[in-house]
Every structure is written in structure tokens, then in C-alpha cells.
């Protein structure tokens, strides 16, 4: 999950600047990820779900895709896609393509 937070925070700082971006990122990133995890918890096993999020000022439009799957120690909640303002975030990070939350 930390990888996803870092990637999103980097993009948000690029939109709002460092000071405002840090403040906004510290509030909306946990809220968006928390809401999406709840959605995954309520979904059927191995069924891909997606959800869109937008800030009030409409500067950030986030689409998260993911699924839950049985892991070695219970259910894993996986983010399989992340698009922020039409930019595929995972495509720009060579070592991230699926993130567990």
C-alpha cells in the first residue's frame, strides 16, 4: 500500500505544488484507498471492480481497479489498475503493477 500512496502523492504534489499537495494528499489518499478497500471487501472473490474518485475542485480524477483473492493467510485486496487524470500510474513505475492494500 505504501507504494500506491507514494505514487499518488507524487502526482498530487505535481498538480497542487508541494505545500498544498502534501496537505491534500494526507487527507484524500487514505480516504480514497480506505473506501476502495471497503468496496473490495464487499465484492465477490476474484471479480474485478472499479471506482472513480474526484476532489471537490475537480483537479484530481482517480480511477482505481482491483479485486480480492484468496492468499496464503486469508483474503488479499489487490489494486490492479490506477489512473489519475488519464495517466496510468502503474505504467510509469517499472516495479509496480499490482498493489496489496
Amino acid at each position: 500500500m505504501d507504494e500506491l500512496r507514494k505514487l499518488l502523492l507524487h502526482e498530487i504534489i505535481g498538480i497542487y505544488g508541494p505545500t498544498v499537495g502534501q496537505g491534500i494528499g494526507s487527507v484524500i489518499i487514505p480516504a480514497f484507498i480506505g473506501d476502495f478497500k471497503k468496496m473490495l471487501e464487499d465484492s465477490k472473490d476474484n471479480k474485478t471492480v472499479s471506482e472513480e474518485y474526484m476532489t471537490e475542485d475537480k483537479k484530481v480524477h482517480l480511477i482505481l481497479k482491483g479485486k480480492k483473492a484468496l492468499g496464503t493467510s486469508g483474503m488479499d485486496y489487490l489494486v490492479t489498475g490506477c489512473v489519475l487524470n488519464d495517466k496510468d500510474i502503474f505504467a510509469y513505475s517499472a516495479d509496480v503493477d499490482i498493489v496489496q492494500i
Side-chain angles (χ1 to χ4, degrees):
M1 177 166 40
D2 287 337
E3 301 107 29
L4 180 60
R5 286 179 194 253
K6 287 178 192 175
L7 292 169
L8 291 174
L9 184 59
H10 175 76
E11 295 299 320
I12 289 170
I13 287 173
I15 294 167
Y16 290 101
T19 306
V20 176
Q22 283 280 2
I24 290 173
S26 69
V27 174
I28 66 167
I29 293 172
F32 290 169
I33 292 174
D35 181 70
F36 190 66
K37 184 175 182 182
K38 175 78 172 103
M39 240 183 106
L40 289 174
E41 289 170 350
D42 295 340
S43 70
K44 294 185 179 185
D45 294 354
N46 221 16
K47 180 180 186 275
T48 300
V49 296
S50 67
E51 185 66 18
E52 293 188 42
Y53 301 94
M54 187 172 291
T55 55
E56 287 184 18
D57 62 7
K58 299 185 179 174
K59 288 185 177 182
V60 173
H61 179 228
L62 175 66
I63 302 170
L64 293 174
K65 294 180 183 178
K67 62 183 177 179
K68 72 178 179 182
L70 187 58
T72 56
S73 61
M75 295 307 290
D76 289 337
Y77 303 100
L78 308 172
V79 177
T80 58
C82 179
V83 177
L84 191 139
N85 292 350
D86 298 323
K87 180 179 179 183
D88 184 350
I89 302 304
F90 290 171
Y92 291 92
S93 178
D95 57 342
V96 177
D97 59 354
I98 295 178
V99 177
Q100 185 174 345
I101 57 174

